[in-house]
PDB file of all heavy atoms in Angstrom:
ATOM      1  N   GLN A   1      73.215 144.081 145.926  1.00  0.00           N
ATOM      2  CA  GLN A   1      74.033 144.290 144.839  1.00  0.00           C
ATOM      3  C   GLN A   1      74.725 142.858 144.301  1.00  0.00           C
ATOM      4  O   GLN A   1      75.897 142.846 144.030  1.00  0.00           O
ATOM      5  CB  GLN A   1      75.127 145.320 145.021  1.00  0.00           C
ATOM      6  CG  GLN A   1      74.559 146.723 145.332  1.00  0.00           C
ATOM      7  CD  GLN A   1      75.522 147.766 145.556  1.00  0.00           C
ATOM      8  OE1 GLN A   1      76.697 147.386 146.017  1.00  0.00           O
ATOM      9  NE2 GLN A   1      75.225 148.975 145.159  1.00  0.00           N
ATOM     10  N   VAL A   2      73.871 141.923 144.128  1.00  0.00           N
ATOM     11  CA  VAL A   2      74.330 140.630 143.626  1.00  0.00           C
ATOM     12  C   VAL A   2      74.059 140.571 142.134  1.00  0.00           C
ATOM     13  O   VAL A   2      73.060 141.037 141.582  1.00  0.00           O
ATOM     14  CB  VAL A   2      73.407 139.495 144.229  1.00  0.00           C
ATOM     15  CG1 VAL A   2      73.841 138.077 143.651  1.00  0.00           C
ATOM     16  CG2 VAL A   2      73.725 139.518 145.808  1.00  0.00           C
ATOM     17  N   GLY A   3      75.136 140.044 141.408  1.00  0.00           N
ATOM     18  CA  GLY A   3      74.935 140.017 139.974  1.00  0.00           C
ATOM     19  C   GLY A   3      73.963 138.929 139.562  1.00  0.00           C
ATOM     20  O   GLY A   3      73.581 137.953 140.256  1.00  0.00           O
ATOM     21  N   LEU A   4      73.327 139.209 138.299  1.00  0.00           N
ATOM     22  CA  LEU A   4      72.320 138.323 137.826  1.00  0.00           C
ATOM     23  C   LEU A   4      72.776 137.359 136.707  1.00  0.00           C
ATOM     24  O   LEU A   4      72.142 136.422 136.381  1.00  0.00           O
ATOM     25  CB  LEU A   4      71.190 139.263 137.163  1.00  0.00           C
ATOM     26  CG  LEU A   4      70.086 139.711 138.176  1.00  0.00           C
ATOM     27  CD1 LEU A   4      69.130 140.538 137.390  1.00  0.00           C
ATOM     28  CD2 LEU A   4      69.383 138.593 138.763  1.00  0.00           C
ATOM     29  N   HIS A   5      74.021 137.577 136.296  1.00  0.00           N
ATOM     30  CA  HIS A   5      74.532 136.800 135.227  1.00  0.00           C
ATOM     31  C   HIS A   5      74.859 135.362 135.646  1.00  0.00           C
ATOM     32  O   HIS A   5      75.262 135.153 136.801  1.00  0.00           O
ATOM     33  CB  HIS A   5      75.744 137.397 134.446  1.00  0.00           C
ATOM     34  CG  HIS A   5      76.871 137.534 135.456  1.00  0.00           C
ATOM     35  ND1 HIS A   5      76.978 138.523 136.418  1.00  0.00           N
ATOM     36  CD2 HIS A   5      78.046 136.806 135.610  1.00  0.00           C
ATOM     37  CE1 HIS A   5      78.084 138.473 137.107  1.00  0.00           C
ATOM     38  NE2 HIS A   5      78.727 137.434 136.617  1.00  0.00           N
ATOM     39  N   PRO A   6      74.749 134.336 134.830  1.00  0.00           N
ATOM     40  CA  PRO A   6      75.076 132.919 135.250  1.00  0.00           C
ATOM     41  C   PRO A   6      76.666 132.881 135.515  1.00  0.00           C
ATOM     42  O   PRO A   6      77.472 133.512 134.918  1.00  0.00           O
ATOM     43  CB  PRO A   6      74.812 132.187 133.981  1.00  0.00           C
ATOM     44  CG  PRO A   6      73.895 132.922 133.192  1.00  0.00           C
ATOM     45  CD  PRO A   6      74.169 134.378 133.561  1.00  0.00           C
ATOM     46  N   GLN A   7      76.963 132.032 136.614  1.00  0.00           N
ATOM     47  CA  GLN A   7      78.398 131.823 136.912  1.00  0.00           C
ATOM     48  C   GLN A   7      78.680 130.328 136.811  1.00  0.00           C
ATOM     49  O   GLN A   7      78.262 129.524 137.649  1.00  0.00           O
ATOM     50  CB  GLN A   7      78.581 132.204 138.400  1.00  0.00           C
ATOM     51  CG  GLN A   7      78.314 133.806 138.636  1.00  0.00           C
ATOM     52  CD  GLN A   7      78.511 134.185 140.143  1.00  0.00           C
ATOM     53  OE1 GLN A   7      79.100 133.395 140.918  1.00  0.00           O
ATOM     54  NE2 GLN A   7      78.058 135.338 140.409  1.00  0.00           N
ATOM     55  N   PRO A   8      79.361 129.988 135.764  1.00  0.00           N
ATOM     56  CA  PRO A   8      79.654 128.540 135.424  1.00  0.00           C
ATOM     57  C   PRO A   8      80.229 127.679 136.581  1.00  0.00           C
ATOM     58  O   PRO A   8      79.837 126.582 136.836  1.00  0.00           O
ATOM     59  CB  PRO A   8      80.591 128.623 134.284  1.00  0.00           C
ATOM     60  CG  PRO A   8      80.299 129.893 133.599  1.00  0.00           C
ATOM     61  CD  PRO A   8      79.959 130.811 134.644  1.00  0.00           C
ATOM     62  N   ALA A   9      81.178 128.320 137.382  1.00  0.00           N
ATOM     63  CA  ALA A   9      81.803 127.595 138.473  1.00  0.00           C
ATOM     64  C   ALA A   9      80.702 127.234 139.588  1.00  0.00           C
ATOM     65  O   ALA A   9      80.721 126.098 140.086  1.00  0.00           O
ATOM     66  CB  ALA A   9      82.820 128.415 139.075  1.00  0.00           C
ATOM     67  N   VAL A  10      79.802 128.110 139.916  1.00  0.00           N
ATOM     68  CA  VAL A  10      78.756 127.864 140.854  1.00  0.00           C
ATOM     69  C   VAL A  10      77.780 126.827 140.317  1.00  0.00           C
ATOM     70  O   VAL A  10      77.297 125.951 141.001  1.00  0.00           O
ATOM     71  CB  VAL A  10      78.061 129.122 141.307  1.00  0.00           C
ATOM     72  CG1 VAL A  10      76.939 128.878 142.287  1.00  0.00           C
ATOM     73  CG2 VAL A  10      78.959 130.137 141.859  1.00  0.00           C
ATOM     74  N   LEU A  11      77.476 126.970 139.024  1.00  0.00           N
ATOM     75  CA  LEU A  11      76.605 126.032 138.459  1.00  0.00           C
ATOM     76  C   LEU A  11      77.053 124.644 138.394  1.00  0.00           C
ATOM     77  O   LEU A  11      76.307 123.654 138.699  1.00  0.00           O
ATOM     78  CB  LEU A  11      76.158 126.545 137.037  1.00  0.00           C
ATOM     79  CG  LEU A  11      75.295 127.764 136.866  1.00  0.00           C
ATOM     80  CD1 LEU A  11      75.216 128.194 135.448  1.00  0.00           C
ATOM     81  CD2 LEU A  11      73.915 127.453 137.442  1.00  0.00           C
ATOM     82  N   ARG A  12      78.377 124.561 138.114  1.00  0.00           N
ATOM     83  CA  ARG A  12      79.041 123.218 138.186  1.00  0.00           C
ATOM     84  C   ARG A  12      78.986 122.585 139.593  1.00  0.00           C
ATOM     85  O   ARG A  12      78.774 121.473 139.674  1.00  0.00           O
ATOM     86  CB  ARG A  12      80.498 123.339 137.675  1.00  0.00           C
ATOM     87  CG  ARG A  12      80.584 123.402 136.205  1.00  0.00           C
ATOM     88  CD  ARG A  12      82.030 123.179 135.745  1.00  0.00           C
ATOM     89  NE  ARG A  12      83.000 124.016 136.230  1.00  0.00           N
ATOM     90  CZ  ARG A  12      83.286 125.288 135.640  1.00  0.00           C
ATOM     91  NH1 ARG A  12      82.633 125.566 134.476  1.00  0.00           N
ATOM     92  NH2 ARG A  12      84.063 126.118 136.197  1.00  0.00           N
ATOM     93  N   ALA A  13      79.175 123.505 140.642  1.00  0.00           N
ATOM     94  CA  ALA A  13      79.211 122.878 141.959  1.00  0.00           C
ATOM     95  C   ALA A  13      77.794 122.506 142.375  1.00  0.00           C
ATOM     96  O   ALA A  13      77.620 121.510 143.021  1.00  0.00           O
ATOM     97  CB  ALA A  13      79.762 124.077 142.950  1.00  0.00           C
ATOM     98  N   GLN A  14      76.780 123.183 141.867  1.00  0.00           N
ATOM     99  CA  GLN A  14      75.390 122.916 142.197  1.00  0.00           C
ATOM    100  C   GLN A  14      75.036 121.588 141.526  1.00  0.00           C
ATOM    101  O   GLN A  14      74.324 120.670 142.094  1.00  0.00           O
ATOM    102  CB  GLN A  14      74.566 123.950 141.823  1.00  0.00           C
ATOM    103  CG  GLN A  14      74.545 125.142 142.773  1.00  0.00           C
ATOM    104  CD  GLN A  14      73.543 126.227 142.359  1.00  0.00           C
ATOM    105  OE1 GLN A  14      72.865 126.180 141.398  1.00  0.00           O
ATOM    106  NE2 GLN A  14      73.452 127.195 143.194  1.00  0.00           N
ATOM    107  N   LEU A  15      75.579 121.338 140.313  1.00  0.00           N
ATOM    108  CA  LEU A  15      75.217 120.146 139.521  1.00  0.00           C
ATOM    109  C   LEU A  15      75.928 118.902 140.157  1.00  0.00           C
ATOM    110  O   LEU A  15      75.396 117.818 140.157  1.00  0.00           O
ATOM    111  CB  LEU A  15      75.727 120.322 138.063  1.00  0.00           C
ATOM    112  CG  LEU A  15      74.735 121.245 137.159  1.00  0.00           C
ATOM    113  CD1 LEU A  15      75.342 121.452 135.922  1.00  0.00           C
ATOM    114  CD2 LEU A  15      73.385 120.370 137.022  1.00  0.00           C
ATOM    115  N   ALA A  16      77.158 119.142 140.736  1.00  0.00           N
ATOM    116  CA  ALA A  16      77.853 118.004 141.329  1.00  0.00           C
ATOM    117  C   ALA A  16      76.990 117.573 142.529  1.00  0.00           C
ATOM    118  O   ALA A  16      76.819 116.344 142.822  1.00  0.00           O
ATOM    119  CB  ALA A  16      79.267 118.503 141.847  1.00  0.00           C
ATOM    120  N   LEU A  17      76.506 118.483 143.372  1.00  0.00           N
ATOM    121  CA  LEU A  17      75.610 118.079 144.480  1.00  0.00           C
ATOM    122  C   LEU A  17      74.256 117.406 143.974  1.00  0.00           C
ATOM    123  O   LEU A  17      73.759 116.528 144.582  1.00  0.00           O
ATOM    124  CB  LEU A  17      75.322 119.357 145.361  1.00  0.00           C
ATOM    125  CG  LEU A  17      74.635 119.129 146.648  1.00  0.00           C
ATOM    126  CD1 LEU A  17      75.383 118.264 147.574  1.00  0.00           C
ATOM    127  CD2 LEU A  17      74.390 120.509 147.385  1.00  0.00           C
ATOM    128  N   ALA A  18      73.781 118.043 142.946  1.00  0.00           N
ATOM    129  CA  ALA A  18      72.534 117.409 142.300  1.00  0.00           C
ATOM    130  C   ALA A  18      72.693 116.043 141.951  1.00  0.00           C
ATOM    131  O   ALA A  18      71.756 115.207 142.112  1.00  0.00           O
ATOM    132  CB  ALA A  18      72.182 118.298 141.151  1.00  0.00           C
ATOM    133  N   ARG A  19      73.902 115.677 141.342  1.00  0.00           N
ATOM    134  CA  ARG A  19      74.150 114.335 140.913  1.00  0.00           C
ATOM    135  C   ARG A  19      73.899 113.333 142.011  1.00  0.00           C
ATOM    136  O   ARG A  19      73.239 112.289 141.871  1.00  0.00           O
ATOM    137  CB  ARG A  19      75.523 114.156 140.447  1.00  0.00           C
ATOM    138  CG  ARG A  19      76.052 112.756 140.050  1.00  0.00           C
ATOM    139  CD  ARG A  19      77.593 112.819 139.936  1.00  0.00           C
ATOM    140  NE  ARG A  19      78.160 113.112 141.251  1.00  0.00           N
ATOM    141  CZ  ARG A  19      79.241 113.780 141.428  1.00  0.00           C
ATOM    142  NH1 ARG A  19      80.042 114.107 140.398  1.00  0.00           N
ATOM    143  NH2 ARG A  19      79.717 114.001 142.722  1.00  0.00           N
ATOM    144  N   ASP A  20      74.370 113.687 143.294  1.00  0.00           N
ATOM    145  CA  ASP A  20      74.306 112.728 144.395  1.00  0.00           C
ATOM    146  C   ASP A  20      72.831 112.668 144.872  1.00  0.00           C
ATOM    147  O   ASP A  20      72.430 111.530 145.220  1.00  0.00           O
ATOM    148  CB  ASP A  20      75.150 113.132 145.575  1.00  0.00           C
ATOM    149  CG  ASP A  20      76.742 113.080 145.199  1.00  0.00           C
ATOM    150  OD1 ASP A  20      77.002 112.157 144.377  1.00  0.00           O
ATOM    151  OD2 ASP A  20      77.448 113.910 145.612  1.00  0.00           O
ATOM    152  N   LEU A  21      72.177 113.792 144.951  1.00  0.00           N
ATOM    153  CA  LEU A  21      70.760 113.877 145.401  1.00  0.00           C
ATOM    154  C   LEU A  21      69.902 113.062 144.474  1.00  0.00           C
ATOM    155  O   LEU A  21      68.880 112.538 144.857  1.00  0.00           O
ATOM    156  CB  LEU A  21      70.445 115.254 145.632  1.00  0.00           C
ATOM    157  CG  LEU A  21      71.173 115.920 146.806  1.00  0.00           C
ATOM    158  CD1 LEU A  21      70.608 117.351 146.881  1.00  0.00           C
ATOM    159  CD2 LEU A  21      70.899 115.305 148.105  1.00  0.00           C
ATOM    160  N   LEU A  22      70.193 113.249 143.148  1.00  0.00           N
ATOM    161  CA  LEU A  22      69.368 112.650 142.103  1.00  0.00           C
ATOM    162  C   LEU A  22      69.433 111.073 142.204  1.00  0.00           C
ATOM    163  O   LEU A  22      68.441 110.361 142.077  1.00  0.00           O
ATOM    164  CB  LEU A  22      69.739 113.066 140.756  1.00  0.00           C
ATOM    165  CG  LEU A  22      69.002 112.516 139.612  1.00  0.00           C
ATOM    166  CD1 LEU A  22      67.467 112.891 139.663  1.00  0.00           C
ATOM    167  CD2 LEU A  22      69.512 113.099 138.189  1.00  0.00           C
ATOM    168  N   ALA A  23      70.667 110.592 142.460  1.00  0.00           N
ATOM    169  CA  ALA A  23      70.912 109.222 142.500  1.00  0.00           C
ATOM    170  C   ALA A  23      70.057 108.573 143.801  1.00  0.00           C
ATOM    171  O   ALA A  23      69.543 107.531 143.706  1.00  0.00           O
ATOM    172  CB  ALA A  23      72.362 108.808 142.581  1.00  0.00           C
ATOM    173  N   ARG A  24      70.170 109.451 144.885  1.00  0.00           N
ATOM    174  CA  ARG A  24      69.500 108.991 146.058  1.00  0.00           C
ATOM    175  C   ARG A  24      67.966 108.985 145.814  1.00  0.00           C
ATOM    176  O   ARG A  24      67.310 108.078 146.235  1.00  0.00           O
ATOM    177  CB  ARG A  24      69.753 109.871 147.156  1.00  0.00           C
ATOM    178  CG  ARG A  24      69.145 109.659 148.501  1.00  0.00           C
ATOM    179  CD  ARG A  24      69.663 110.739 149.547  1.00  0.00           C
ATOM    180  NE  ARG A  24      69.026 110.523 150.810  1.00  0.00           N
ATOM    181  CZ  ARG A  24      67.985 111.365 151.251  1.00  0.00           C
ATOM    182  NH1 ARG A  24      67.612 112.330 150.387  1.00  0.00           N
ATOM    183  NH2 ARG A  24      67.549 111.202 152.403  1.00  0.00           N
ATOM    184  N   SER A  25      67.488 109.973 145.102  1.00  0.00           N
ATOM    185  CA  SER A  25      66.069 109.996 144.881  1.00  0.00           C
ATOM    186  C   SER A  25      65.585 108.830 143.912  1.00  0.00           C
ATOM    187  O   SER A  25      64.522 108.322 144.159  1.00  0.00           O
ATOM    188  CB  SER A  25      65.682 111.443 144.107  1.00  0.00           C
ATOM    189  OG  SER A  25      64.342 111.499 143.913  1.00  0.00           O
ATOM    190  N   LEU A  26      66.414 108.539 142.957  1.00  0.00           N
ATOM    191  CA  LEU A  26      66.106 107.429 142.056  1.00  0.00           C
ATOM    192  C   LEU A  26      66.100 105.999 142.822  1.00  0.00           C
ATOM    193  O   LEU A  26      65.247 105.208 142.507  1.00  0.00           O
ATOM    194  CB  LEU A  26      67.106 107.333 140.974  1.00  0.00           C
ATOM    195  CG  LEU A  26      67.039 108.404 139.913  1.00  0.00           C
ATOM    196  CD1 LEU A  26      68.212 108.314 138.904  1.00  0.00           C
ATOM    197  CD2 LEU A  26      65.746 108.252 139.063  1.00  0.00           C
ATOM    198  N   ALA A  27      66.914 105.968 143.835  1.00  0.00           N
ATOM    199  CA  ALA A  27      66.822 104.729 144.665  1.00  0.00           C
ATOM    200  C   ALA A  27      65.471 104.532 145.364  1.00  0.00           C
ATOM    201  O   ALA A  27      64.842 103.570 145.470  1.00  0.00           O
ATOM    202  CB  ALA A  27      67.964 104.768 145.691  1.00  0.00           C
ATOM    203  N   PHE A  28      65.058 105.753 145.884  1.00  0.00           N
ATOM    204  CA  PHE A  28      63.706 105.760 146.549  1.00  0.00           C
ATOM    205  C   PHE A  28      62.643 105.310 145.577  1.00  0.00           C
ATOM    206  O   PHE A  28      61.703 104.512 145.908  1.00  0.00           O
ATOM    207  CB  PHE A  28      63.334 107.146 147.167  1.00  0.00           C
ATOM    208  CG  PHE A  28      64.096 107.512 148.364  1.00  0.00           C
ATOM    209  CD1 PHE A  28      64.866 108.690 148.469  1.00  0.00           C
ATOM    210  CD2 PHE A  28      64.084 106.656 149.472  1.00  0.00           C
ATOM    211  CE1 PHE A  28      65.533 109.025 149.490  1.00  0.00           C
ATOM    212  CE2 PHE A  28      64.730 106.970 150.669  1.00  0.00           C
ATOM    213  CZ  PHE A  28      65.417 108.191 150.660  1.00  0.00           C
ATOM    214  N   GLN A  29      62.616 105.949 144.316  1.00  0.00           N
ATOM    215  CA  GLN A  29      61.647 105.695 143.376  1.00  0.00           C
ATOM    216  C   GLN A  29      61.650 104.202 142.978  1.00  0.00           C
ATOM    217  O   GLN A  29      60.531 103.568 142.848  1.00  0.00           O
ATOM    218  CB  GLN A  29      61.813 106.530 142.059  1.00  0.00           C
ATOM    219  CG  GLN A  29      61.657 108.023 142.394  1.00  0.00           C
ATOM    220  CD  GLN A  29      60.255 108.310 142.826  1.00  0.00           C
ATOM    221  OE1 GLN A  29      59.271 107.721 142.505  1.00  0.00           O
ATOM    222  NE2 GLN A  29      60.036 109.313 143.676  1.00  0.00           N
ATOM    223  N   ALA A  30      62.782 103.576 142.798  1.00  0.00           N
ATOM    224  CA  ALA A  30      62.910 102.199 142.370  1.00  0.00           C
ATOM    225  C   ALA A  30      62.254 101.280 143.484  1.00  0.00           C
ATOM    226  O   ALA A  30      61.606 100.317 143.162  1.00  0.00           O
ATOM    227  CB  ALA A  30      64.401 101.828 142.165  1.00  0.00           C
TER     228      ALA A  30
END
């Protein structure tokens, strides 16, 4: 019984973690 609608607070938290992982990945690529 988990909701399907987007949750902005969770999405923002995921994007914050994504920012760090993306910067790390770009370092590897460079």
